[in-house]
Amino acid sequence: SEKKPTDKTEFADPLAKDRITVDPTEGNPYLVVVNAKRAADGSYKPTLSEIFDTGYYMEEGVTPYYEEMYTAAKKDGIILTPYSGYRSYERQRNNYINLTKQYMSQYKLSEEEAAKKAATVILPPGTSEHNLGLAMDICNTRDDFAYTKEYKWS
């Protein structure tokens, strides 16, 4: 389901001309901020490690913390199913472009309008913590996740 923006929601502007390019290799890569105004370019490649045997990866320094949280939740009878961890810049770009094209076709939007709508669901490449290997989406198969014990635990 799509995110529902609020007055305070700031989505990445896919056409931002004032965006700053950040280099996660300068300083501490765990303290890098990427967002609508600060994007990492496609050259950054984190050192990845797999989360248990799930086929999902995170930056190797973050992986033990996710696994610790997962294990703690499991002890409480909660399963925090990993859904999407590290995404390469190229994968993020392709997902974003594909959704933009889908919105152009589905809603008969201009490329600019479709890109802005797509940015409310899939962030443009370089603007997501997934591109740094620092984020993991957690899900379940229910549409009402906000009302589940998994959501309340997290």
Side-chain angles (χ1 to χ4, degrees):
S1 68
E2 289 185 32
K3 291 180 184 178
K4 303 293 185 220
T6 68
D7 290 342
K8 296 180 182 178
T9 303
E10 181 181 350
F11 292 110
D13 179 353
L15 306 173
K17 293 174 181 32
D18 62 343
R19 185 172 290 142
I20 298 166
T21 301
V22 297
D23 182 356
T25 62
E26 292 179 8
N28 185 339
Y30 306 124
L31 298 178
V32 173
V33 174
V34 291
N35 59 28
K37 303 233 183 268
R38 299 171 48 88
D41 70 22
S43 66
Y44 178 69
K45 305 290 187 237
T47 303
L48 300 172
S49 62
E50 187 174 7
I51 300 293
F52 299 117
D53 289 323
T54 62
Y56 294 105
Y57 293 82
M58 293 184 80
E59 203 288 328
E60 70 179 358
V62 176
T63 300
Y65 297 103
Y66 175 80
E67 290 178 341
E68 182 181 335
M69 180 182 73
Y70 180 91
T71 301
K74 193 171 181 180
K75 285 180 184 175
D76 290 342
I78 305 295
I79 302 299
L80 300 177
T81 304
Y83 179 72
S84 180
Y86 169 73
R87 290 185 215 129
S88 70
Y89 186 92
E90 295 77 21
R91 180 174 173 201
Q92 188 85 12
R93 180 181 177 278
N94 289 339
N95 289 347
Y96 177 72
I97 288 170
N98 289 339
L99 188 59
T100 298
K101 288 178 181 178
Q102 177 186 330
Y103 284 167
M104 288 172 66
S105 173
Q106 182 178 355
Y107 298 111
K108 309 296 183 222
L109 298 174
S110 69
E111 185 173 1
E112 180 178 344
E113 293 168 326
K116 286 181 180 178
K117 183 173 179 60
T120 67
V121 180
I122 298 174
L123 293 174
T127 64
S128 170
E129 290 87 354
H130 287 280
N131 300 142
L132 303 178
L134 302 177
M136 174 64 74
D137 291 342
I138 300 168
C139 73
N140 70 10
T141 57
R142 295 177 48 177
D143 289 336
D144 60 347
F145 181 69
Y147 302 101
T148 65
K149 63 184 180 178
E150 290 85 0
Y151 179 83
K152 290 175 184 161
W153 188 91
S154 61

